[in-house]
Amino acid sequence: AVADTEIPKYIQIDHLFIRNDGNVLLIAERSFQVSKYTYQDDDILLVSLSSSGQSEWGTRIPKKQSSYYTEDVRLSYYPIVMKNEDYLLYNDDGRNFTYSKNRKRLQHHKSVKGFSTLTVVKSDGSWKAFPSAQNSIENLALNPTACRQIGRETVLLYAANGHKYRLGKLRLK
């Protein structure tokens, strides 16, 4: 239950989605400044609330991203909210796909050396992360904040590094 989950510091609520049945999905991210020149975006938190406001479930998607720029477009995530399951797109280190609850430390994502990641979140809050593309192949990194849902099951993807960029289309079913 949500009440049993420890709420970490530096939570920033990013999205509040009202579903057709009146239920609400709240998505937040742990974001903070580590030092004068280092910024960090970590775990993604999801909480599902019933139409009466009762918590149904809460889950934490572990990630660890850092940058020397406040507005580094490779940080953060892009949510895709659908009827039966939701998705999150973000950049991650490939070593984190074997993440277990017993493991204390996540690997930092290092821009174009990581993977574009698609995490599927089921209607009960359970989730699984999948590498969707290796950024180093094209020397590009996914820009999650520039991605857009352009149809019921279609997302426009944007990846860049300097003046080099690529657009892609992701179909979800």
Side-chain angles (χ1 to χ4, degrees):
V2 176
D4 298 336
T5 305
E6 181 182 327
I7 305 295
K9 294 180 182 178
Y10 313 112
I11 297 300
Q12 177 177 315
I13 296 173
D14 296 319
H15 302 280
L16 190 68
F17 294 100
I18 301 173
R19 300 184 186 277
N20 290 338
D21 60 3
N23 291 355
V24 173
L25 178 65
L26 178 131
I27 306 176
E29 184 175 37
R30 188 170 175 240
S31 299
F32 54 97
Q33 188 170 350
V34 177
S35 67
K36 186 175 181 180
Y37 299 107
T38 307
Y39 302 87
Q40 197 156 316
D41 283 357
D42 285 352
D43 306 337
I44 302 169
L45 303 171
L46 293 92
V47 176
S48 180
L49 303 171
S50 69
S51 57
S52 64
Q54 297 296 313
S55 63
E56 295 181 324
W57 55 262
T59 194
R60 177 180 68 92
I61 312 294
K63 75 174 180 68
K64 194 174 202 90
Q65 302 171 323
S66 62
S67 176
Y68 295 111
Y69 309 104
T70 20
E71 299 298 324
D72 191 331
V73 296
R74 296 166 296 200
L75 301 183
S76 201
Y77 65 96
Y78 181 71
I80 305 155
V81 176
M82 297 179 69
K83 187 175 183 176
N84 296 324
E85 52 192 19
D86 303 309
Y87 300 87
L88 299 167
L89 280 169
Y90 54 93
N91 291 305
D92 203 359
D93 189 291
R95 295 171 288 184
N96 292 337
F97 294 112
T98 57
Y99 174 80
S100 73
K101 291 183 179 179
N102 298 330
R103 193 165 129 196
K104 301 281 187 223
R105 184 177 165 96
L106 285 175
Q107 300 297 319
H108 271 280
H109 165 257
K110 304 273 195 293
S111 64
V112 297
K113 300 196 186 316
F115 284 84
S116 300
T117 304
L118 179 68
T119 295
V120 181
V121 182
K122 302 285 185 185
S123 59
D124 64 356
S126 62
W127 59 272
K128 182 147 178 75
F130 301 94
S132 58
Q134 188 172 359
N135 295 343
S136 62
I137 291 173
E138 291 271 345
N139 199 30
L140 299 170
L142 178 72
N143 176 340
T145 58
C147 296
R148 293 292 177 264
Q149 192 165 352
I150 56 173
R152 187 174 239 167
E153 298 173 340
T154 308
V155 177
L156 179 66
L157 304 175
Y158 178 78
N161 187 9
H163 296 294
K164 184 179 174 183
Y165 69 93
R166 294 279 185 275
L167 294 175
K169 191 186 291 187
L170 174 66
R171 289 198 183 269
L172 304 165
K173 292 193 176 199

